[in-house]
Amino acid sequence: MTTPNVKAQYEPVLSRLTDQEGEELCAQLRRELVEDVSSTGGHLASNLGAVELTVALHRVFDTSVDRLVFDVGHQCYPHKMLTGRREAMSTLRQYGGIAGFPKPNELVKNAEVPGGMYSNMVAQLKALNSSDLLDDAMKLIPKVRRDAGLVPLVTPTSQIVGAQAVNLAIDRKKGNPDYTNTSNQFISLVKGEYGHTPAPIDPAFRQQITGDAVEHPYDVSKYRKPEIPVVPELGGVKLATNTEEELLMELLPNVANKFLRNRREEEYAAKQPKDAPKAAAEVKVEETVTSLSPAMCSAHRWEAAS
């Protein structure tokens, strides 16, 4: 059987491959990998081990839309071969030839942002059905960061800046003035509740965002530790049972409530007697048997005897 041509539009071809054709394609790719890497140098073992996995991914996903994330970038040779670069593999790692790693995300590099911040911005835009604004939001990060006092792009301020850059991009798309939509966290940052910023914030900007041109640090004297709820149906246990869980409830209350309830439910179920369901079943059977009429009992005894 002739192996399908895997040179041009691969997704439609691979989605129709039979298992046998898939095995033949994998064998063909493996032979070509050995031949090319033997000539040009490169990572061989990591790619030989990823051939079947890569072919399987291309049978399911459309990589013109879907994005593949490799554990390590030098597993990408089979992917390159299956996306129009098969003949170029003879130039692997050569001057003017094909690279031995996936193409870096220049958008992230140029914006100089951490990966987690970028991922959250992508998720935020996707949830708002505004994924087309990603480039605009990334370009607005320096402005938002500068306006907010050049805060470092580390958690949590990186997330605050990223989320506000998304809001700013949406404001501009709608024709609204900048910072029409501001998050509570960004307001707190500009207000001064996250501490002094590396660069001073323009009082006029602080006035615009918070309604007050004066910096107001967080007043720790007003802090009140939230009351930890009790779950009566789970034996009256508290939802958070240690300092780590209490901190989780303060930082991420919506996520923590569901997460900790599931944890308490698992703990409660583990403490229940394992033979309780069996005992209940036995009681039910006993009640059923004792409720039979004498005639039915005789019939059952006769059947058992026979």
Side-chain angles (χ1 to χ4, degrees), residues 55-70:
V55 170
L57 288 170
H58 278 271
R59 291 181 68 179
V60 176
F61 296 103
D62 178 359
T63 57
S64 66
V65 179
D66 302 310
R67 293 291 176 262
L68 302 183
V69 179
F70 291 92

Side-chain angles (χ1 to χ4, degrees), residues 288-301:
T288 302
V289 172
T290 55
S291 64
L292 296 175
S293 65
M296 293 177 69
C297 288
S298 298
H300 281 288
R301 283 195 298 271

Side-chain angles (χ1 to χ4, degrees), residues 109-159:
K109 180 178 73 70
N110 292 336
E112 298 182 350
V113 300
M117 175 182 176
Y118 172 77
S119 299
N120 285 345
M121 292 175 67
V122 170
Q124 182 183 357
L125 285 165
K126 186 175 181 180
L128 296 171
N129 294 319
S130 299
S131 296
D132 59 309
L133 294 180
L134 179 60
D135 286 2
D136 294 336
M138 294 289 284
K139 293 174 183 177
L140 287 169
I141 289 174
K143 171 180 172 52
V144 174
R145 187 184 182 197
R146 182 174 60 251
D147 290 342
L150 293 177
V151 291
L153 294 183
V154 296
T155 303
T157 49
S158 63
Q159 310 302 329

Side-chain angles (χ1 to χ4, degrees), residues 75-107:
Q75 289 178 327
C76 69
Y77 296 3
H79 169 69
K80 288 177 180 282
M81 297 171 75
L82 293 173
T83 49
R85 290 164 283 183
R86 184 178 176 190
E87 293 182 354
M89 290 299 290
S90 60
T91 67
L92 179 70
R93 294 159 57 102
Q94 306 300 305
Y95 180 75
I98 191 170
F101 295 89
K103 182 179 179 180
N105 189 330
E106 299 291 341
L107 190 62

Side-chain angles (χ1 to χ4, degrees), residues 182-209:
T182 52
S183 68
N184 292 333
Q185 291 80 7
F186 186 73
I187 294 173
S188 296
L189 175 63
V190 175
K191 186 177 181 180
E193 293 185 349
Y194 285 82
H196 292 295
T197 53
I201 295 176
D202 183 355
F205 181 73
R206 182 178 285 119
Q207 175 73 40
Q208 174 190 346
I209 300 300

Side-chain angles (χ1 to χ4, degrees), residues 244-262:
E244 181 180 305
E245 293 180 348
E246 291 176 1
L247 183 61
L248 182 64
M249 289 195 66
E250 290 198 53
L251 295 176
L252 302 167
N254 293 332
V255 175
N257 274 282
K258 182 178 181 180
F259 172 76
L260 293 177
R261 174 171 282 275
N262 290 338

Side-chain angles (χ1 to χ4, degrees), residues 14-29:
L14 294 190
S15 65
R16 297 193 298 269
L17 283 182
T18 65
D19 289 344
Q20 182 179 349
E21 290 171 335
E23 291 177 1
E24 292 177 356
L25 173 59
C26 288
Q28 178 183 345
L29 292 176

